[in-house]
Amino acid sequence: MEDITLKIKEKLEKGEVVNLKIKVIANAKINSLEEYTDEILKLRINKPAVDGKANKAIIEYLSVQFDVPKSNIIILKGEKNSLKDLLINPKSHII
C-alpha cells in the first residue's frame, strides 16, 4: 500500500490531477488501500454500501490519506457499483 500511496502523493504534490480506478470492498474490518491489478486499486472501507455511506467514507478516507479537501475528490463513475472511477484535484475545488 505505501508504495502506491507514495506515488499518488507525489503526483498530487506536483499539482497533477490524479484519476483512480478502485474496487471497493465495503463492510471491511479496517480501511486500507492496496494494489489490485496494474490499473485498479482495492479500497477496503469499514462502512456498508447502503445509502451512500461507503461513498462518503471513501472520500473521507482518501482526503486524509492524500491531504486534499473532500471537495476535491469526485466519483466520476460507479456511484452504485463496487468499481469506481475517481478524480482527485490537488489544487482547487472541482465543481
Side-chain angles (χ1 to χ4, degrees):
M1 174 186 95
E2 288 196 30
D3 194 34
I4 192 67
T5 301
L6 288 175
K7 288 179 186 178
I8 294 168
K9 281 183 180 181
E10 286 174 4
K11 285 183 177 186
L12 292 169
E13 286 172 2
K14 290 178 186 175
E16 295 178 32
V17 173
V18 175
N19 288 300
L20 295 179
K21 290 185 184 290
I22 61 170
K23 166 106 174 117
V24 178
I25 308 299
N27 274 337
K29 289 183 181 182
I30 60 168
N31 294 337
S32 67
L33 183 64
E34 57 195 64
E35 291 188 61
Y36 183 61
T37 69
D38 287 343
E39 297 176 6
I40 300 173
L41 301 175
K42 185 187 299 183
L43 178 58
R44 296 178 190 276
I45 208 79
N46 66 356
K47 298 290 182 195
V50 176
D51 297 329
K53 290 178 184 176
N55 287 341
K56 184 178 177 186
I58 290 165
I59 291 171
E60 289 173 357
Y61 177 78
L62 294 176
S63 172
V64 170
Q65 286 297 307
F66 301 124
D67 195 30
V68 296
K70 290 184 278 190
S71 60
N72 289 20
I73 302 171
I74 187 167
I75 298 173
L76 298 173
K77 214 168 148 183
E79 285 269 336
K80 297 186 178 194
N81 195 318
S82 64
L83 288 174
K84 301 182 184 300
D85 289 343
L86 296 152
L87 181 89
I88 304 174
N89 185 342
K91 292 191 174 184
S92 64
H93 189 68
I94 294 172
I95 299 173

